[in-house]
Amino acid sequence: YLEKAKSVDPNYGKAYLYLGMIYERQNDIPKAVKEYSSYYQRMPFTPMGRKLKARIGILMRNQIASEIKTAIQQEKSLSVASIPENTIAVIYFSNHTGNDELDPLRKGIADMMTTDLSQVKSLRVLERTRLQLLMDEIGLASQGIIDPESKPRIGQLLGARRLVSGGFSMPQQGSIRMDSVSNDIVSEKIDAETNVSGKLDQFFMMEKQLVFGILESLNIEITQEERDAIQKIPTESFLAFLAYCRGIDYEDRGMYREASSEFKRAVEIDPNFSMANEKLNEVETLIETPMTGSINEITKLEQ
């Protein structure tokens, strides 16, 4: 009957909502996500569309958390040799500036590099959310640092053959230097290394150079289409990006109101910063209609 309702009116949101809920009851998360996504793609700017997109995020996060717990339980039987060679994850960078206010850049740089590397179709790039949930689970989130000795274990639990890490410093006022390396967790050796430096207003161009340097060192060929996608700059404002970084850090800690405030600040600085706009909509939806617990909560949604 719900499928019939969709065929009569493909934009009738409650049909997708209740179908998704049924699939959640049956523990068929991929089908639930498909239903919610179908409606969101049709009606992305409606209240229902925004809330179902937020629900998709929660389901995917829960699925990843479950996979991580399973990996930890089965850790002794995991084989690094079976991890596909094209899998890669970017872990949080180290802050060597001596300025704690720049700590949010540690996640922000990793987030941006993850997005850029995801443009390369030959690579399977692990989500930053997966890294954060793993660090939460094994008690590294409060430290925010992964020491070299832990990298093979982190890669094994993430399912990533290579871990990209790095650090940033400010050798002089108004300039920044970023260094990055790629570690192969099978050989436990560095297989790529690159660094960039320049003026702070060239930050985003330098991050792109860092990504291209890693790809070149790993002998990964990319198409012109992939290169063009990587070169897209999300914002030209360093202050807007720093606010965005603070926002994702608050979001990771479940502090949605604080995250909303930072994403809003990023959008005020640069109204064209689409990533900040998307995050702002997501966290505001979670504030208005919490959907982190029982699926019965989403029956409260109104079109």
Side-chain angles (χ1 to χ4, degrees):
Y1 282 106
L2 289 169
E3 290 289 0
K4 186 181 288 188
K6 283 169 54 181
S7 66
V8 172
D9 182 359
N11 294 329
Y12 183 46
K14 285 188 178 179
Y16 297 87
L17 168 64
Y18 287 115
L19 267 171
M21 288 175 66
I22 287 170
Y23 289 130
E24 284 197 56
R25 290 282 192 189
Q26 296 176 341
N27 201 32
D28 194 337
I29 303 305
K31 283 188 178 180
V33 169
K34 182 179 179 182
E35 291 300 329
Y36 299 150
S37 297
S38 295
Y39 182 78
Y40 173 74
Q41 289 167 6
R42 285 180 173 275
M43 311 289 281
F45 304 113
T46 62
M48 177 74 84
R50 289 197 299 270
K51 288 169 181 174
L52 290 186
K53 186 188 180 187
R55 184 64 182 173
I56 293 168
I58 290 167
L59 290 177
M60 298 306 295
R61 188 181 180 90
N62 291 344
Q63 180 69 24
I64 292 171
S66 175
E67 291 171 0
I68 286 171
K69 287 182 179 179
T70 300
I72 292 173
Q73 290 169 358
Q74 300 175 352
E75 184 173 357
K76 290 183 179 179
S77 63
L78 294 177
S79 169
V80 293
S82 64
I83 298 175
E85 192 172 348
N86 69 334
T87 51
I88 191 168
V90 184
I91 62 177
Y92 299 152
F93 274 45
S94 300
N95 177 7
H96 301 297
T97 66
N99 183 354
D100 293 345
E101 291 183 2
L102 295 177
D103 275 353
L105 279 178
R106 299 176 57 253
K107 288 186 179 182
I109 295 173
D111 185 74
M112 192 156 49
M113 288 188 72
T114 297
T115 299
D116 288 343
L117 289 170
S118 296
Q119 306 302 324
V120 182
K121 295 181 176 61
S122 63
L123 291 176
R124 183 180 165 229
V125 185
L126 282 299
E127 313 95 320
R128 190 191 66 82
T129 301
R130 187 176 294 271
L131 170 65
Q132 181 63 42
L133 290 172
L134 174 60
M135 292 178 70
D136 288 339
E137 188 68 26
I138 62 178
L140 289 177
S142 59
Q143 305 172 33
I145 298 173
I146 298 175
D147 58 72
E149 291 74 21
S150 300
K151 285 183 180 180
R153 184 189 181 210
I154 296 297
Q156 183 177 13
L157 292 172
L158 285 175
R161 171 69 178 263
R162 290 187 174 87
L163 291 183
V164 175
S165 60
F168 58 93
S169 60
M170 288 186 170
Q172 56 187 11
Q173 187 70 26
S175 68
I176 189 168
R177 174 187 169 108
M178 291 186 282
D179 295 82
S180 185
V181 298
S182 168
N183 290 84
D184 185 318
I185 69 163
V186 174
S187 66
E188 298 189 20
K189 294 181 179 178
I190 292 174
D191 57 3
E193 191 169 3
T194 186
N195 66 78
V196 293
S197 58
K199 298 294 184 182
L200 200 55
D201 59 7
Q202 300 173 314
F203 174 80
F204 301 102
M205 182 184 70
M206 288 189 289
E207 182 273 335
K208 306 303 177 186
Q209 292 174 349
L210 206 62
V211 171
F212 288 129
I214 288 291
L215 292 171
E216 184 178 351
S217 295
L218 293 174
N219 296 316
I220 296 173
E221 295 184 4
I222 59 174
T223 65
Q224 187 59 48
E225 182 183 6
E226 291 168 340
R227 182 175 292 276
D228 291 343
I230 292 171
Q231 286 179 327
K232 289 181 181 177
I233 294 175
T235 176
E236 294 184 356
S237 169
F238 181 77
L239 291 179
F241 182 68
L242 190 56
Y244 171 85
C245 296
R246 291 193 295 266
I248 60 175
D249 184 46
Y250 279 129
E251 185 184 13
D252 285 342
R253 290 185 275 166
M255 301 169 68
Y256 298 126
R257 294 190 184 280
E258 291 82 357
S260 173
S261 177
E262 293 297 342
F263 292 138
K264 195 174 294 182
R265 185 172 303 171
V267 172
E268 287 171 354
I269 297 170
D270 181 1
N272 296 318
F273 191 177
S274 60
M275 289 168 62
N277 264 303
E278 289 175 10
K279 283 290 188 182
L280 177 60
N281 286 331
E282 287 178 17
V283 297
E284 286 190 338
T285 298
L286 290 172
I287 292 169
E288 294 166 6
T289 312
M291 297 186 296
T292 55
S294 166
I295 62 170
N296 289 333
E297 291 174 346
I298 57 177
T299 61
K300 300 173 185 176
L301 301 183
E302 296 178 359
Q303 288 180 280

